[in-house]
Amino acid sequence: MQQRPAGVGARRRRRLGAVSALVSAAVLATAAVAPAALPGDGGTDAERRWPEPGLGGGRLRTLAGVLRQDRPGTGWYLVGGAHLVLNLQVSYADHEQIVLRFPPARRVVSVLCGPDETYAPLGYSCGASVSLDRVTVRLGRNGRPADPTATSAGPYANFWLLGLVEPR
């Protein structure tokens, strides 16, 4: 039986985690841009009524941005220029979280957060907790909480945010 070099499994898991986050973001982005097709003639009446009245009413607002911190100790910001910022604004960051604001929503569909190809191999992860007007991002590294004020991986390292909300 051939032995695998140490660390190969961990690298593969990190790579799969990063790919999973990117695929999820791509699916959400596609859903936000492409109208959904209604189910075919088969199925129950409930299936044929999809999307149900009141579930977005065909109107969803996209939240998107690229979070960056150039150097540890500097503030987090949303990258403009080559990246598009949609309906998000950094409110503040402390030793536990990064808080972003968005225009008030009636309901939240989902918000995803993922590390880029620079942060992911270093063991970073992120998660978003969402209210009707705020996204709170918490960072982790190797399964432990990470301090957002001390996490910079370089001038081009990012965390990607993508979400959908139903506007008021």
Side-chain angles (χ1 to χ4, degrees):
M1 185 162 169
Q2 187 177 8
Q3 291 283 333
R4 212 182 318 178
V8 170
R11 283 194 305 266
R12 183 174 292 144
R13 281 191 302 275
R14 283 193 303 268
R15 199 174 311 129
L16 286 173
V19 168
S20 172
L22 289 174
V23 168
S24 298
V27 167
L28 254 182
T30 302
V33 176
L38 292 174
D41 291 335
T44 66
D45 286 342
E47 289 172 333
R48 282 194 288 273
R49 281 195 313 264
W50 183 86
E52 293 180 32
L55 290 179
R59 302 176 313 124
L60 293 176
R61 177 183 295 141
T62 302
L63 308 175
V66 176
L67 270 172
R68 185 177 288 169
Q69 179 189 38
D70 290 335
R71 294 182 317 278
T74 62
W76 286 87
Y77 62 96
L78 291 163
V79 180
H83 297 288
L84 182 62
V85 178
L86 293 174
N87 301 307
L88 283 174
Q89 178 180 7
V90 175
S91 184
Y92 69 91
D94 58 28
H95 294 286
E96 295 180 3
Q97 61 204 359
I98 305 163
V99 177
L100 300 101
R101 297 242 193 237
F102 59 89
R106 180 178 307 161
R107 289 188 280 199
V108 175
V109 177
S110 180
V111 175
L112 298 174
C113 180
D116 73 352
E117 70 279 3
T118 303
Y119 275 113
L122 296 174
Y124 281 96
S125 59
C126 64
S129 177
V130 186
S131 70
L132 295 178
D133 65 351
R134 177 185 354 216
V135 177
T136 301
V137 175
R138 293 188 184 239
L139 306 180
R141 185 167 190 194
N142 298 322
R144 293 194 168 89
D147 180 350
T149 64
T151 58
S152 178
Y156 302 108
N158 306 312
F159 286 98
W160 300 84
L161 285 166
L162 181 63
L164 294 172
V165 297
E166 180 182 9
R168 283 191 177 170

